[in-house]
Amino acid sequence: MAGDELYAHSADGAGVRHRLDDHLRAVGDRAGGFGEAFRAAETAGYLGLVHDVGKGWCEWQDGLRRVEGTNRPVGLDHKGAGTWLAHRADLGVLASVVAGHHGGLPAFSELGQDVRAMAQGSGMSSAQEAIDRVAAVVPEILEGPGLPGWLTADGADALVVDSLVRFVFSAVVDADHLDTAAHFDGVPRQEHGVAIGGLVERYEEALKARLARRVSSPVDGDRARVYEQAVAAAQGPQGIYRLPAPTGSGKTFAAGGFGLHHARVHGLRRVIVAVPYLSITEQNAAEYRRLLEGPGEPEVVLEHHSGVDLDATSKSAGGRWARLAAENWDAPFIVTTTVRLFESLFGRRPAAMRRVHRLAGSVIVLDEVQALPDRLLVPIMSMLRTLTDHFGVTVLLASATQPTFFELSPLRDLAAREVIADPKPLYTRLQRVNYEWWLNPAPSREELAEEVAECRASLTVCNTTAQARELHALVAQRRDESAGPVLHLSTRMVARHRRETVRYVSELNAAGSPVAVVSTQLVEAGVDLDFPVVFRAFATAEAMQQAAGRCNRSGRLERGRVVVFELADGDGGASSGGGEFIYGAALAATRMFFGPGKATPDDLDALDTYYRERFKLTDTENDGEKIQDARREWNFPEVTNLFRMIKEETVPVVAIPPQYEAERERIQEVLALLRGGVPGGGLLRELRPYMATLPKSLAFDKASGLLAPVVGDLHEWLGDYDERRGIEISDSEEYVF
């Protein structure tokens, strides 16, 4: 090998190579700093220090010089030496951090096999050569610190160890990425400089100003009381809190206020708000941004989900900040989706897990928690318990329909901390609707469409895209345009089309204008719409109550009207409402307790009984234990395979609505670049406003001839796009929301 200098990376734009000793120490220092938040600074620092020791191998150094200037990888494994050092330092499964710092966390059983094979084979000679060469300039690689003291003191519970590996892995891969990027960019990345404690007054002042400008509502007094109780509860100790609050009671603002005040009281680093649906994520992020980002103030709210265009949502100079902060959640206030949050926590790949270490010492607000899938509740609640017990996290569970989570095994011995000690009077005061049950006899599609068409302003929420499309067409046929527009909402519409439709509906609501909206479930939770009449296909209790939350939301009517229907012309599929098709056993539990002569969906006692029965029928405990067993075995690939928030696999498709025809040339240009192999980060962000989703089973069966591959699983839609309803596929059984 020519020369004795060891390098980690090839030359930057100025022709300067990245010295290996500088890289190892920088990554170790930064990873150790990240580890301080979860009391594992020495362990994280050491693993960061040794992660690239294998690059000291002569053959690897020669390979680096051969590929310099070609953008090709060296192509030689360099993880073995650092993995061996971690193993020799008795770090056990934490050696996985080094072994997986490029490809992802391996199963512990595979790690053990690899270590034994290396010790007995030729790989040991190259590893030892690298260790010897690096130790000559970084001697501290030979002195491992051992496991964190708190872990051994607590008995090293397997699930806690699983979580610790994830946090340390996150700290190391984030530190590695940041230092590598700093070398090639020539500029070190600075941590976000705004302390969360200073945001409290900004939030309070902006909220008061916003409420002063708002048109008064009969429910304003209750909203103020909910907020006051949230701020009072925020003074309490860290732990898991519940915020049960009826729809329309100001839960979004109360949850944000709780998070900020609680973070200031306990010196926590950030507030992370996770919600289940993109529509709510976008809406909530916009609200929090208005409260926390005034003119001339630095950006503090990061909106991070699959639908956000990080180039367009930030103020000019902040576009780069948003893109970089999204990589590792280096922001004081984050709005994301529950899918992104939990698939990071239960993931194994570096790109998804870089942000995990940022969760330590934070407030996590889980909004609309009733939407979490039953089959994943046990591992989710177990993880939340571990985060609050060992990683300095406080969790707020917010929902109008609070499930009985504390009766599940991970939380059974834990008492919930209540934000609202006695919520029943609040629910009684905020009962703003009367329920009607159109179940027996059930109306036909035509009869329902006639009723909807005659209402001056109404929202109809369906269980399936097929039913929503069908009803929208029937209502449009029966309603004269002079009576007000007939609008549609579903994920068959591209993101921009959906957003602009929701915005238009909000404007019509605010003006008191007539409108009929036919939608899938995407509008029923958290979206700030207000109708005098809501029609809802029979669904689970929480879905029906959430839909009712779009009715008489501001309490200006004596009572709103919520009509729960099933259709006579069908067999349980798309025509009759598709409830069983969508909700399964959860719907059976609903039928036991809610309906004519039974409870209404806003009866808290009935909801508790319903959730207990539902969790039995859906076998929630046993489903979750499969993932828990894999976590106890530290089988990280298996956990990731089993933990899928979205069960139905979908295909993202790019479509061009007729109303956006002026954008066609640029969209086609971007698609051509992606097909030609141009790196796609910024190009994909440019396409996101024009993306919709299709279920794989539908896309590659009935629509296969209408899709053209682009890159990865992204396809271009070549078929019809209705300017009102979006992608059109003739299929009576489609059911993706």
Side-chain angles (χ1 to χ4, degrees):
M1 186 191 81
D4 295 321
E5 196 76 71
L6 302 179
Y7 296 104
H9 302 105
S10 55
D12 61 12
V16 178
R17 292 175 178 150
H18 198 186
R19 287 164 50 110
L20 181 58
D21 56 331
D22 289 343
H23 178 58
L24 295 181
R25 287 196 171 103
V27 172
D29 288 345
R30 197 185 288 261
F34 291 155
E36 288 179 1
F38 48 94
R39 299 173 295 158
E42 291 187 353
T43 302
Y46 180 72
L47 291 169
L49 184 72
V50 303
H51 79 288
D52 270 356
V53 165
K55 291 182 176 181
W57 179 29
C58 288
E59 193 168 333
W60 195 95
Q61 289 290 310
D62 289 340
L64 181 66
R65 288 173 168 81
R66 281 196 302 272
V67 301
E68 190 163 44
T70 68
N71 289 323
R72 296 201 314 268
V74 173
L76 297 172
D77 177 49
H78 65 269
K79 63 182 182 292
T83 302
W84 176 256
L85 285 170
H87 167 74
R88 197 172 69 182
D90 292 326
L91 290 178
V93 67
L94 281 160
S96 301
V97 170
V98 179
H101 76 274
H102 283 299
L105 286 168
F108 183 52
S109 58
E110 295 175 4
L111 175 72
Q113 293 171 6
D114 290 346
V115 168
R116 287 191 294 274
M118 186 173 69
Q120 297 167 5
S122 59
M124 194 65 237
S125 61
S126 59
Q128 191 60 54
E129 176 190 300
I131 291 169
D132 291 342
R133 288 170 59 79
V134 174
V137 290
V138 190
E140 55 267 39
I141 65 170
L142 302 176
E143 298 294 331
L147 296 170
W150 65 266
L151 183 67
T152 53
D154 288 348
D157 176 86
L159 293 174
V160 177
V161 174
D162 165 86
S163 300
L164 178 64
V165 172
R166 296 174 187 280
F167 273 77
V168 173
F169 181 73
S170 171
V172 171
V173 297
D174 191 26
D176 184 21
H177 182 96
L178 290 170
D179 189 62
T180 302
H183 165 68
F184 286 108
D185 293 346
V187 180
R189 178 93 61 87
Q190 300 298 315
E191 293 284 295
H192 195 288
V194 176
I196 199 167
L199 298 179
V200 174
E201 282 74 21
R202 188 186 302 178
Y203 188 85
E204 292 287 346
E205 291 171 8
L207 183 58
K208 287 177 184 176
R210 184 187 189 283
L211 295 177
R213 294 191 302 268
R214 192 174 186 173
V215 178
S216 63
S217 161
V219 301
D220 284 348
D222 281 306
R223 288 171 175 165
R225 281 187 285 273
V226 168
Y227 187 83
E228 290 166 2
Q229 290 179 78
V231 171
Q235 312 307 307
Q238 289 195 255
I240 302 179
Y241 286 76
R242 297 197 329 156
L243 173 57
T247 54
S249 60
K251 180 162 50 66
T252 297
F253 296 127
F258 172 92
L260 289 166
H261 280 272
H262 191 76
R264 182 168 69 174
V265 168
H266 294 283
L268 305 180
R269 305 186 300 166
R270 57 186 45 85
V271 175
I272 299 161
V273 179
V275 293
Y277 308 117
L278 281 183
S279 54
I280 318 174
T281 311
E282 293 165 347
Q283 174 185 285
N284 288 4
E287 293 285 8
Y288 289 131
R289 196 174 287 118
R290 280 190 282 268
L291 296 175
L292 290 169
E293 294 181 358
E297 294 170 340
E299 292 179 281
V300 295
V301 178
L302 173 67
E303 180 183 355
H304 190 210
H305 52 75
S306 61
V308 67
D309 182 349
L310 294 172
D311 290 315
T313 56
S314 305
K315 307 167 195 171
S316 59
R320 175 176 167 80
W321 171 79
R323 292 194 302 275
L324 296 178
E327 295 174 354
N328 66 353
W329 285 1
D330 180 17
F333 201 104
I334 297 157
V335 184
T336 189
T337 59
T338 49
V339 171
R340 181 143 288 182
L341 172 66
F342 288 114
E343 289 194 348
S344 294
L345 267 168
F346 290 91
R348 59 180 288 265
R349 299 289 184 186
M353 295 187 68
R354 282 183 57 191
R355 61 189 71 103
V356 167
H357 71 90
R358 302 285 183 183
L359 302 178
S362 69
V363 180
I364 299 176
V365 176
L366 296 178
D367 202 1
E368 308 295 353
V369 289
Q370 79 284 345
L372 293 173
D374 292 4
R375 59 193 166 79
L376 300 179
L377 285 178
V378 168
I380 284 174
M381 294 303 139
S382 170
M383 179 65 78
L384 295 178
R385 176 75 179 269
T386 298
L387 295 185
T388 57
D389 285 352
H390 299 284
F391 292 87
V393 173
T394 286
V395 173
L396 178 67
L397 305 173
S399 174
T401 52
Q402 283 281 344
T404 53
F405 291 148
F406 284 80
E407 295 185 17
L408 296 175
S409 54
L411 304 183
R412 198 170 289 150
D413 63 334
L414 189 68
R417 300 185 182 278
E418 303 288 357
V419 171
I420 299 174
D422 184 11
K424 287 185 181 179
L426 176 65
Y427 277 76
T428 300
R429 289 195 303 273
L430 290 183
Q431 284 181 344
R432 293 154 288 173
V433 305
N434 290 325
Y435 287 88
E436 299 175 26
W437 304 92
W438 291 9
L439 308 177
N440 188 19
S444 67
R445 291 171 292 174
E446 289 74 13
E447 288 170 334
L448 178 63
E450 288 283 358
E451 182 74 19
V452 172
E454 291 175 5
C455 291
R456 182 177 183 275
S458 69
L459 169 67
T460 303
V461 182
C462 303
N463 286 330
T464 72
T465 51
Q467 186 190 61
R469 186 181 66 237
E470 188 175 40
L471 275 175
H472 177 267
L474 290 171
V475 174
Q477 291 169 10
R478 288 160 172 76
R479 184 178 174 102
D480 190 277
E481 289 185 8
S482 63
V486 181
L487 303 176
H488 175 83
L489 283 165
S490 81
T491 54
R492 290 294 183 273
M493 300 157 66
V494 298
R496 180 180 172 185
H497 189 185
R498 287 199 312 271
R499 283 198 298 268
E500 291 181 356
T501 302
V502 170
R503 189 180 306 120
Y504 181 38
V505 174
S506 297
E507 292 169 356
L508 293 171
N509 276 176
S513 301
V515 60
V517 180
V518 182
S519 175
T520 57
Q521 301 96 307
L522 65 86
V523 301
E524 74 181 2
V527 180
D528 193 6
L529 300 177
D530 193 348
F531 294 86
V533 182
V534 168
F535 297 87
R536 180 55 168 100
F538 191 89
T540 55
E542 70 278 6
M544 291 189 291
Q545 198 210 85
Q546 292 291 340
R550 304 324 109 194
C551 184
N552 194 21
R553 189 172 179 84
S554 297
R556 294 191 173 90
L557 304 174
E558 183 176 342
R559 287 277 173 154
R561 180 182 175 218
V562 175
V563 179
V564 180
F565 67 88
E566 287 186 311
L567 297 179
D569 40 356
D571 58 0
S575 295
S576 67
E580 280 81 4
F581 200 36
I582 297 291
Y583 299 109
L587 198 70
T590 300
R591 294 189 188 279
M592 295 171 66
F593 304 107
F594 302 95
K598 301 175 184 176
T600 58
D602 46 18
D603 184 319
L604 294 185
D605 291 331
L607 280 169
D608 280 352
T609 306
Y610 152 73
Y611 275 117
R612 293 188 193 100
E613 186 64 27
R614 169 176 162 169
F615 291 158
K616 292 177 187 175
L617 291 176
T618 56
D619 204 20
T620 297
E621 290 282 357
N622 287 333
D623 272 358
E625 276 305 315
K626 297 172 186 174
I627 297 174
Q628 293 293 83
D629 287 343
R631 291 181 64 207
R632 292 184 186 97
E633 295 169 359
W634 305 325
N635 189 340
F636 300 102
E638 180 67 6
V639 171
T640 301
N641 289 337
L642 293 173
F643 192 95
R644 295 189 181 275
M645 293 283 286
I646 302 174
K647 202 169 186 179
E648 172 68 18
E649 293 190 19
T650 59
V651 178
V653 298
V654 174
I656 307 173
Q659 57 268 45
Y660 307 136
E661 186 62 30
E663 317 295 332
R664 178 176 295 277
E665 184 177 348
R666 176 54 186 167
I667 293 171
Q668 294 292 345
E669 180 183 345
V670 171
L671 291 172
L673 290 170
L674 288 169
R675 287 186 173 113
V678 175
L683 296 174
L684 288 171
R685 284 192 289 272
E686 194 172 344
L687 290 178
R688 279 173 186 159
Y690 306 98
M691 287 187 193
T693 56
L694 296 175
K696 276 190 176 179
S697 55
L698 182 64
F700 298 131
D701 181 10
K702 298 194 175 183
S704 60
L706 299 173
L707 293 171
V710 180
V711 63
D713 64 347
L714 180 66
H715 286 69
E716 179 186 5
W717 175 248
L718 305 177
D720 294 334
Y721 189 103
D722 186 275
E723 64 180 356
R724 299 163 300 170
R725 293 185 290 269
I727 290 173
E728 294 275 58
I729 302 175
S730 177
D731 177 31
S732 63
E733 297 300 323
E734 60 173 298
Y735 62 93
V736 169
F737 301 168

